[in-house]
PDB file of all heavy atoms in Angstrom:
ATOM      1  N   GLN A  49      59.976  -3.386 -18.164  1.00 48.00           N
ATOM      2  CA  GLN A  49      59.874  -4.115 -16.910  1.00 48.00           C
ATOM      3  C   GLN A  49      60.587  -3.347 -15.800  1.00 48.00           C
ATOM      4  O   GLN A  49      61.725  -2.933 -15.960  1.00 48.00           O
ATOM      5  CB  GLN A  49      60.507  -5.509 -17.063  1.00 48.00           C
ATOM      6  CG  GLN A  49      59.715  -6.452 -17.943  1.00 48.00           C
ATOM      7  CD  GLN A  49      58.460  -6.950 -17.258  1.00 48.00           C
ATOM      8  OE1 GLN A  49      58.374  -6.931 -16.038  1.00 48.00           O
ATOM      9  NE2 GLN A  49      57.491  -7.379 -18.028  1.00 48.00           N
ATOM     10  N   TYR A  66      34.358  20.845 -28.574  1.00 98.00           N
ATOM     11  CA  TYR A  66      33.032  20.264 -28.783  1.00 98.00           C
ATOM     12  C   TYR A  66      32.010  21.278 -28.308  1.00 98.00           C
ATOM     13  O   TYR A  66      32.088  21.778 -27.186  1.00 98.00           O
ATOM     14  CB  TYR A  66      32.886  18.964 -27.994  1.00 98.00           C
ATOM     15  CG  TYR A  66      31.526  18.305 -28.120  1.00 98.00           C
ATOM     16  CD1 TYR A  66      31.271  17.388 -29.141  1.00 98.00           C
ATOM     17  CD2 TYR A  66      30.496  18.594 -27.217  1.00 98.00           C
ATOM     18  CE1 TYR A  66      30.031  16.779 -29.252  1.00 98.00           C
ATOM     19  CE2 TYR A  66      29.255  17.993 -27.336  1.00 98.00           C
ATOM     20  CZ  TYR A  66      29.027  17.083 -28.353  1.00 98.00           C
ATOM     21  OH  TYR A  66      27.790  16.486 -28.472  1.00 98.00           O
ATOM     22  N   GLY A  77      30.181  30.512 -37.905  1.00 98.00           N
ATOM     23  CA  GLY A  77      31.207  31.474 -38.273  1.00 98.00           C
ATOM     24  C   GLY A  77      32.038  31.930 -37.087  1.00 98.00           C
ATOM     25  O   GLY A  77      33.272  32.060 -37.184  1.00 98.00           O
ATOM     26  N   ARG A  98      18.794  22.020 -47.218  1.00 96.00           N
ATOM     27  CA  ARG A  98      18.165  22.408 -45.954  1.00 96.00           C
ATOM     28  C   ARG A  98      18.973  23.437 -45.160  1.00 96.00           C
ATOM     29  O   ARG A  98      18.402  24.340 -44.544  1.00 96.00           O
ATOM     30  CB  ARG A  98      17.948  21.161 -45.078  1.00 96.00           C
ATOM     31  CG  ARG A  98      16.855  20.230 -45.600  1.00 96.00           C
ATOM     32  CD  ARG A  98      16.670  19.056 -44.658  1.00 96.00           C
ATOM     33  NE  ARG A  98      17.853  18.187 -44.639  1.00 96.00           N
ATOM     34  CZ  ARG A  98      18.192  17.383 -43.636  1.00 96.00           C
ATOM     35  NH1 ARG A  98      17.458  17.366 -42.528  1.00 96.00           N
ATOM     36  NH2 ARG A  98      19.254  16.618 -43.724  1.00 96.00           N
ATOM     37  N   GLY A 111      33.686  36.970 -42.936  1.00 98.00           N
ATOM     38  CA  GLY A 111      34.667  37.203 -43.989  1.00 98.00           C
ATOM     39  C   GLY A 111      35.274  35.955 -44.584  1.00 98.00           C
ATOM     40  O   GLY A 111      36.336  36.015 -45.218  1.00 98.00           O
ATOM     41  N   GLU A 118      29.219  18.143 -52.917  1.00 95.00           N
ATOM     42  CA  GLU A 118      28.259  17.137 -52.482  1.00 95.00           C
ATOM     43  C   GLU A 118      28.862  15.735 -52.512  1.00 95.00           C
ATOM     44  O   GLU A 118      29.618  15.391 -53.425  1.00 95.00           O
ATOM     45  CB  GLU A 118      27.007  17.198 -53.362  1.00 95.00           C
ATOM     46  CG  GLU A 118      26.246  18.511 -53.215  1.00 95.00           C
ATOM     47  CD  GLU A 118      25.010  18.580 -54.096  1.00 95.00           C
ATOM     48  OE1 GLU A 118      24.765  17.611 -54.862  1.00 95.00           O
ATOM     49  OE2 GLU A 118      24.284  19.588 -54.020  1.00 95.00           O
ATOM     50  N   ILE A 168      36.333  20.423 -39.470  1.00 98.00           N
ATOM     51  CA  ILE A 168      35.154  20.775 -38.685  1.00 98.00           C
ATOM     52  C   ILE A 168      34.038  19.801 -39.035  1.00 98.00           C
ATOM     53  O   ILE A 168      33.763  19.576 -40.220  1.00 98.00           O
ATOM     54  CB  ILE A 168      34.701  22.217 -38.983  1.00 98.00           C
ATOM     55  CG1 ILE A 168      35.794  23.213 -38.614  1.00 98.00           C
ATOM     56  CG2 ILE A 168      33.407  22.546 -38.240  1.00 98.00           C
ATOM     57  CD1 ILE A 168      36.698  23.599 -39.766  1.00 98.00           C
ATOM     58  N   VAL A 173      22.756  13.931 -37.957  1.00 96.00           N
ATOM     59  CA  VAL A 173      22.071  12.823 -37.295  1.00 96.00           C
ATOM     60  C   VAL A 173      22.945  12.389 -36.126  1.00 96.00           C
ATOM     61  O   VAL A 173      24.157  12.624 -36.117  1.00 96.00           O
ATOM     62  CB  VAL A 173      21.815  11.623 -38.238  1.00 96.00           C
ATOM     63  CG1 VAL A 173      20.816  11.979 -39.319  1.00 96.00           C
ATOM     64  CG2 VAL A 173      23.126  11.139 -38.859  1.00 96.00           C
ATOM     65  N   GLU A 189      31.812  -0.053 -52.653  1.00 82.00           N
ATOM     66  CA  GLU A 189      30.470   0.336 -53.094  1.00 82.00           C
ATOM     67  C   GLU A 189      29.377  -0.522 -52.469  1.00 82.00           C
ATOM     68  O   GLU A 189      28.205  -0.136 -52.463  1.00 82.00           O
ATOM     69  CB  GLU A 189      30.378   0.256 -54.626  1.00 82.00           C
ATOM     70  CG  GLU A 189      31.252   1.279 -55.362  1.00 82.00           C
ATOM     71  CD  GLU A 189      30.779   2.705 -55.151  1.00 82.00           C
ATOM     72  OE1 GLU A 189      29.677   2.909 -54.608  1.00 82.00           O
ATOM     73  OE2 GLU A 189      31.514   3.640 -55.522  1.00 82.00           O
ATOM     74  N   PRO A 203      39.132  15.819 -34.976  1.00 98.00           N
ATOM     75  CA  PRO A 203      38.589  17.052 -35.559  1.00 98.00           C
ATOM     76  C   PRO A 203      38.839  18.262 -34.661  1.00 98.00           C
ATOM     77  O   PRO A 203      38.785  18.173 -33.431  1.00 98.00           O
ATOM     78  CB  PRO A 203      37.100  16.746 -35.693  1.00 98.00           C
ATOM     79  CG  PRO A 203      37.059  15.267 -35.902  1.00 98.00           C
ATOM     80  CD  PRO A 203      38.145  14.714 -35.028  1.00 98.00           C
ATOM     81  N   ASP A 209      24.137  20.599 -33.551  1.00 98.00           N
ATOM     82  CA  ASP A 209      22.915  21.397 -33.464  1.00 98.00           C
ATOM     83  C   ASP A 209      21.755  20.470 -33.124  1.00 98.00           C
ATOM     84  O   ASP A 209      21.301  19.686 -33.959  1.00 98.00           O
ATOM     85  CB  ASP A 209      22.663  22.108 -34.790  1.00 98.00           C
ATOM     86  CG  ASP A 209      21.527  23.119 -34.713  1.00 98.00           C
ATOM     87  OD1 ASP A 209      20.628  22.940 -33.868  1.00 98.00           O
ATOM     88  OD2 ASP A 209      21.535  24.076 -35.509  1.00 98.00           O
ATOM     89  N   PHE A 233      30.603  -1.377 -22.110  1.00 96.00           N
ATOM     90  CA  PHE A 233      30.866  -2.815 -22.109  1.00 96.00           C
ATOM     91  C   PHE A 233      32.185  -3.145 -22.816  1.00 96.00           C
ATOM     92  O   PHE A 233      32.968  -3.971 -22.343  1.00 96.00           O
ATOM     93  CB  PHE A 233      29.712  -3.552 -22.787  1.00 96.00           C
ATOM     94  CG  PHE A 233      28.412  -3.420 -22.050  1.00 96.00           C
ATOM     95  CD1 PHE A 233      27.433  -2.555 -22.492  1.00 96.00           C
ATOM     96  CD2 PHE A 233      28.161  -4.157 -20.905  1.00 96.00           C
ATOM     97  CE1 PHE A 233      26.232  -2.424 -21.815  1.00 96.00           C
ATOM     98  CE2 PHE A 233      26.966  -4.041 -20.215  1.00 96.00           C
ATOM     99  CZ  PHE A 233      25.997  -3.169 -20.666  1.00 96.00           C
ATOM    100  N   PRO A 271      14.534   6.760 -23.354  1.00 98.00           N
ATOM    101  CA  PRO A 271      13.123   6.637 -23.764  1.00 98.00           C
ATOM    102  C   PRO A 271      12.450   7.990 -23.999  1.00 98.00           C
ATOM    103  O   PRO A 271      11.727   8.169 -24.983  1.00 98.00           O
ATOM    104  CB  PRO A 271      12.498   5.883 -22.586  1.00 98.00           C
ATOM    105  CG  PRO A 271      13.624   5.096 -21.996  1.00 98.00           C
ATOM    106  CD  PRO A 271      14.812   6.001 -22.120  1.00 98.00           C
ATOM    107  N   GLU A 291      24.657  13.980 -26.245  1.00 98.00           N
ATOM    108  CA  GLU A 291      25.986  14.030 -25.633  1.00 98.00           C
ATOM    109  C   GLU A 291      26.549  12.618 -25.462  1.00 98.00           C
ATOM    110  O   GLU A 291      27.738  12.370 -25.684  1.00 98.00           O
ATOM    111  CB  GLU A 291      25.928  14.750 -24.287  1.00 98.00           C
ATOM    112  CG  GLU A 291      27.281  14.888 -23.620  1.00 98.00           C
ATOM    113  CD  GLU A 291      27.239  15.635 -22.302  1.00 98.00           C
ATOM    114  OE1 GLU A 291      26.180  16.216 -21.977  1.00 98.00           O
ATOM    115  OE2 GLU A 291      28.271  15.631 -21.583  1.00 98.00           O
ATOM    116  N   GLY A 305      38.510   1.590 -26.087  1.00 96.00           N
ATOM    117  CA  GLY A 305      38.709   0.341 -26.812  1.00 96.00           C
ATOM    118  C   GLY A 305      37.434  -0.291 -27.337  1.00 96.00           C
ATOM    119  O   GLY A 305      36.341  -0.018 -26.844  1.00 96.00           O
ATOM    120  N   HIS A 323      22.633  -5.665 -44.901  1.00 81.00           N
ATOM    121  CA  HIS A 323      23.020  -4.377 -45.479  1.00 81.00           C
ATOM    122  C   HIS A 323      21.975  -3.284 -45.284  1.00 81.00           C
ATOM    123  O   HIS A 323      22.284  -2.116 -45.396  1.00 81.00           O
ATOM    124  CB  HIS A 323      23.352  -4.543 -46.967  1.00 81.00           C
ATOM    125  CG  HIS A 323      24.667  -5.229 -47.197  1.00 81.00           C
ATOM    126  ND1 HIS A 323      25.150  -5.536 -48.442  1.00 81.00           N
ATOM    127  CD2 HIS A 323      25.593  -5.681 -46.317  1.00 81.00           C
ATOM    128  CE1 HIS A 323      26.315  -6.145 -48.329  1.00 81.00           C
ATOM    129  NE2 HIS A 323      26.603  -6.248 -47.050  1.00 81.00           N
ATOM    130  N   GLU A 329      22.502  -0.479 -34.995  1.00 95.00           N
ATOM    131  CA  GLU A 329      21.586  -1.608 -34.791  1.00 95.00           C
ATOM    132  C   GLU A 329      22.363  -2.918 -34.738  1.00 95.00           C
ATOM    133  O   GLU A 329      22.071  -3.800 -33.919  1.00 95.00           O
ATOM    134  CB  GLU A 329      20.543  -1.629 -35.906  1.00 95.00           C
ATOM    135  CG  GLU A 329      19.596  -0.434 -35.854  1.00 95.00           C
ATOM    136  CD  GLU A 329      18.698  -0.305 -37.068  1.00 95.00           C
ATOM    137  OE1 GLU A 329      19.088  -0.802 -38.158  1.00 95.00           O
ATOM    138  OE2 GLU A 329      17.621   0.297 -36.951  1.00 95.00           O
ATOM    139  N   ALA A 332      24.357  -2.986 -31.431  1.00 95.00           N
ATOM    140  CA  ALA A 332      23.504  -3.316 -30.283  1.00 95.00           C
ATOM    141  C   ALA A 332      23.316  -4.827 -30.161  1.00 95.00           C
ATOM    142  O   ALA A 332      23.338  -5.382 -29.050  1.00 95.00           O
ATOM    143  CB  ALA A 332      22.154  -2.615 -30.415  1.00 95.00           C
ATOM    144  N   LEU A 339      27.851  -9.920 -24.107  1.00 90.00           N
ATOM    145  CA  LEU A 339      27.484 -10.226 -22.725  1.00 90.00           C
ATOM    146  C   LEU A 339      27.308 -11.725 -22.505  1.00 90.00           C
ATOM    147  O   LEU A 339      27.660 -12.262 -21.452  1.00 90.00           O
ATOM    148  CB  LEU A 339      26.203  -9.479 -22.345  1.00 90.00           C
ATOM    149  CG  LEU A 339      26.352  -7.981 -22.111  1.00 90.00           C
ATOM    150  CD1 LEU A 339      24.985  -7.343 -21.877  1.00 90.00           C
ATOM    151  CD2 LEU A 339      27.269  -7.710 -20.935  1.00 90.00           C
ATOM    152  N   LYS A 349      26.872 -11.452 -11.058  1.00 44.00           N
ATOM    153  CA  LYS A 349      26.724 -10.180 -10.351  1.00 44.00           C
ATOM    154  C   LYS A 349      26.851  -9.025 -11.320  1.00 44.00           C
ATOM    155  O   LYS A 349      26.104  -8.045 -11.250  1.00 44.00           O
ATOM    156  CB  LYS A 349      27.784 -10.067  -9.260  1.00 44.00           C
ATOM    157  CG  LYS A 349      27.711  -8.760  -8.474  1.00 44.00           C
ATOM    158  CD  LYS A 349      28.783  -8.723  -7.400  1.00 44.00           C
ATOM    159  CE  LYS A 349      28.750  -7.406  -6.648  1.00 44.00           C
ATOM    160  NZ  LYS A 349      29.804  -7.335  -5.599  1.00 44.00           N
TER     161      LYS A 349
END
Side-chain angles (χ1 to χ4, degrees):
Q49 290 286 338
Y66 178 89
R98 289 182 293 156
E118 295 179 358
I168 299 94
V173 293
E189 293 293 349
D209 189 333
F233 296 103
E291 182 178 350
H323 286 177
E329 293 171 334
L339 286 174
K349 180 179 178 181

